[in-house]
Amino acid sequence: MQRKQPNYRLIYNDIINIKCPGKKEECSPILNKEVISILDVIRLNLIIFGIKDKETQTFNQKHRSYDESTIIEILDYQLKNNLNNTQLANHFKLSRNTVTKWKKHFKNRHLHSA
């Protein structure tokens, strides 16, 4: 059974219209995409809410989850930008161990998509 994703376009349009209409133009390229990925949601959060204090950021990071397509997108980013695991982890605020685990788990699928 496939897990249904929230309607991020509707959610973020409502947030922008109610809380910060001035950010509508900056968010529109992401909101106009056919499919909004988890990485897009993270980008929207940064645009709308900015970076919170270190403690809040750490708490939020611990409770993030990534679907398979997002993980593969992150691993593709590593290949395209020639980053090592540490650089990739720092860029996306992940653990190096998480990156290593993903690379082992998605090795075969990732190579076929590259």
Side-chain angles (χ1 to χ4, degrees):
M1 181 167 75
Q2 190 175 359
R3 197 170 147 194
K4 190 161 176 148
Q5 211 175 34
N7 187 341
Y8 292 119
R9 184 172 289 105
L10 183 63
I11 293 168
Y12 281 98
N13 273 322
D14 286 348
I15 291 171
I16 291 166
N17 289 332
I18 294 168
K19 297 264 184 191
C20 48
K23 301 200 179 194
K24 190 172 194 135
E25 189 175 321
E26 191 176 354
C27 295
S28 66
I30 297 171
L31 292 172
N32 290 332
K33 292 172 82 174
E34 188 173 324
V35 176
I36 298 176
S37 72
I38 302 299
L39 287 177
D40 292 328
V41 170
I42 294 168
R43 288 183 198 108
L44 285 169
N45 276 331
L46 280 173
I47 293 168
I48 295 169
F49 303 110
I51 297 174
K52 304 292 180 198
D53 62 65
K54 183 84 171 157
E55 187 177 318
T56 304
Q57 197 172 8
T58 302
F59 176 82
N60 288 340
Q61 183 59 39
K62 285 181 182 177
H63 294 88
R64 281 188 184 162
S65 64
Y66 299 91
D67 61 3
E68 184 175 329
S69 63
T70 303
I71 293 169
I72 291 173
E73 187 178 341
I74 290 170
L75 294 175
D76 284 343
Y77 182 88
Q78 181 181 27
L79 281 176
K80 289 175 189 166
N81 293 285
N82 199 26
L83 302 176
N84 63 34
N85 288 0
T86 302
Q87 292 168 323
L88 183 70
N90 288 338
H91 181 77
F92 287 101
K93 295 179 180 47
L94 302 166
S95 159
R96 289 175 300 139
N97 293 332
T98 299
V99 173
T100 302
K101 183 176 77 174
W102 286 351
K103 287 178 80 170
K104 286 179 184 174
H105 186 268
F106 292 100
K107 184 177 171 182
N108 292 333
R109 283 181 255 181
H110 180 61
L111 292 174
H112 296 298
S113 70

